[in-house]
Amino acid sequence: MDPVSSLLNGIRAEGSAVSHAVLKAPWTIRFADRAPLTMVTVLRGGGTLVLSDGTEMVVARGDTAIVRGPEPFHLADRSDSLDRPHIEYEIACFATDPECEAEEISGIHWGAESTDATALIVGAYQASGRRHDRLLRALPPVLVIHEDIDTCDWLEKAAVDCASHLAGSQALMDRLLDWALVCTLRTWFASAGSSAPTWYRGLADPVVAPALQAIHGSPSRSWTVASLAAEAGVSRALFAKRFAELMGRPPLGYLTEYRMDEAEDLLADSELSVAQVAKAVGYADPFGFSAAFKRYRGMSPTAFRAAA
C-alpha cells in the first residue's frame, strides 16, 4: 500500500449531506456545517467561493473545489451578491442545531431548472478519526481541480437518480463522493509540485518509493535501514542519505511516526487490547510500545484511548 492509499483508506462518506442544487442568479449558499471537509462540483454554470478570511476563488463548469473546515464559507453566483438582494440557501445539517430538512439536502433541486442556471453537487464530510486529521493537515485551505465535462454529465445523472430515494440511494451517493474525493485529491497531489506533502513527493523517487510502499504495506515488520535499503535496491548509506534529504527525517524516524499514527487509529477501537495494538504496529513488547507511544504523543496508550 502506498502512502496516498493508506491515508485515504479510512476516509469514508457515511450518511453524508449531499445536495444537487440548480440555482438561478442571484443566489448564495452559506456553508455553516463547520464540516472538516466540503466538496463542491460545478456541473453547469459557476460561481465564486468566499472563505471566512475574505479569500475569493472563481469556480466554473467542470471545477471541483475542496474546502478545509471548520470555518463557515459562502458560494455565490458572484462575490458581490453577498451585499445585494439575493436568494440565500444554507447547509447546516451537521451543526449542533440543524435547521435543514432531510428532503432539502438529499437531492431535491433548488431554484428553477434553466439553461443559464448553475448546477452543483455538494458533499460535506464529517470527521472520521485521526486519519482524517492527518489528511486535513496535508491540504491547503481550498483547492480547485478541473474535471472532464463528460464526468460532470455522469455525476449529474447519478445525483438525480439518488434524489429519487430508491433503495440504496444513500450508499450509492456516499460511494460516489468517496470516488470523487480520491480522484480529486490524487489529481491535486500530482499537480501540487513542491506544495505536495513530502510523503507524496517521495513516491516519485526511485530510491525512496519502494521503502515507503514497504513501510505502509507492512508496518509491523521488523524493518531496519539495511532491509529498507534492500527494498530500494541500493546501499544502506545511499538509501539513508536520500531518504533523509527528501523526507526530512531518517527512515526509522519516519517508520516510528507512521506506526504511532496507525496506533492512534487502532486505539480508537476499544475491542483491541493495548498488547494487540502493539503487535499490529510492530512491537512484540507492549511495554516498549507504551514507552514509544508516550514519547511521541505525550501520554500513554491507555490515557490516549480514554481521552479519545
Side-chain angles (χ1 to χ4, degrees):
M1 183 180 293
D2 62 84
V4 177
S5 296
S6 178
L7 193 65
L8 296 177
N9 192 45
I11 308 302
R12 293 287 185 271
E14 299 294 348
S16 53
V18 180
S19 184
H20 171 226
V22 179
L23 307 170
K24 181 96 172 172
W27 52 265
T28 68
I29 303 174
R30 182 174 183 268
F31 294 82
D33 273 322
R34 294 190 174 273
L37 204 66
T38 303
M39 185 167 60
V40 180
T41 297
V42 182
L43 305 173
R44 286 181 280 126
T48 301
L49 283 168
V50 183
L51 304 187
S52 59
D53 64 358
T55 298
E56 297 182 5
M57 185 171 291
V58 175
V59 289
R61 185 187 185 199
D63 287 342
T64 291
I66 294 179
V67 183
R68 191 184 69 199
E71 293 301 318
F73 65 96
H74 285 83
L75 177 65
D77 63 310
R78 7 187 297 191
S79 58
D80 60 2
S81 288
L82 294 169
D83 302 316
R84 60 193 179 99
H86 62 273
I87 299 175
E88 183 175 78
Y89 303 93
E90 181 170 293
I91 293 179
C93 288
F94 297 157
T96 305
D97 298 309
E99 296 180 355
C100 67
E101 298 177 0
E103 62 267 20
E104 180 186 13
I105 205 73
S106 61
I108 299 299
H109 289 191
W110 294 342
E113 189 72 68
S114 172
T115 55
D116 61 348
T118 290
L120 311 164
I121 289 183
V122 179
Y125 281 73
Q126 299 191 70
S128 59
R130 311 293 293 192
R131 194 186 301 267
H132 205 156
D133 293 339
R134 296 197 293 275
L135 171 62
L136 295 178
R137 290 198 299 269
L139 299 179
V142 59
L143 62 91
V144 176
I145 296 295
H146 188 74
E147 305 286 357
D148 184 81
I149 298 302
D150 291 339
T151 300
C152 292
D153 294 338
W154 178 78
L155 281 172
E156 184 162 20
K157 290 177 182 177
V160 171
D161 178 69
C162 289
S164 63
H165 299 291
L166 296 175
S169 293
Q170 180 66 65
L172 174 62
M173 204 66 212
D174 284 345
R175 298 294 78 80
L176 179 64
L177 282 178
D178 290 338
W179 172 83
L181 179 66
V182 170
C183 290
T184 300
L185 290 177
R186 188 172 63 174
T187 300
W188 180 77
F189 285 138
S191 61
S194 60
S195 298
T198 55
W199 45 259
Y200 184 84
R201 300 201 301 272
L203 290 174
D205 186 87
V207 172
V208 174
L212 287 178
Q213 292 170 345
I215 289 172
H216 285 256
S218 301
S220 62
R221 281 187 58 179
S222 300
W223 294 111
T224 63
V225 174
S227 62
L228 289 171
E231 292 286 329
V234 297
S235 71
R236 183 180 183 279
L238 173 61
F239 169 71
K241 181 175 184 293
R242 180 62 182 164
F243 193 100
E245 287 176 347
L246 191 60
M247 303 298 292
R249 72 204 81 175
L252 297 187
Y254 180 90
L255 171 64
T256 300
E257 185 172 339
Y258 178 67
R259 284 173 168 173
M260 295 301 105
D261 286 342
E262 290 296 292
E264 287 184 346
D265 288 330
L266 295 174
L267 286 168
D269 184 352
S270 59
E271 297 297 318
L272 297 176
S273 67
V274 171
Q276 288 173 316
V277 173
K279 185 177 180 180
V281 295
Y283 289 81
D285 178 4
F287 297 102
F289 163 68
S290 295
F293 190 90
K294 187 171 184 178
R295 185 166 58 251
Y296 273 82
R297 295 296 183 256
M299 63 177 73
S300 69
T302 302
F304 177 86
R305 169 172 281 173

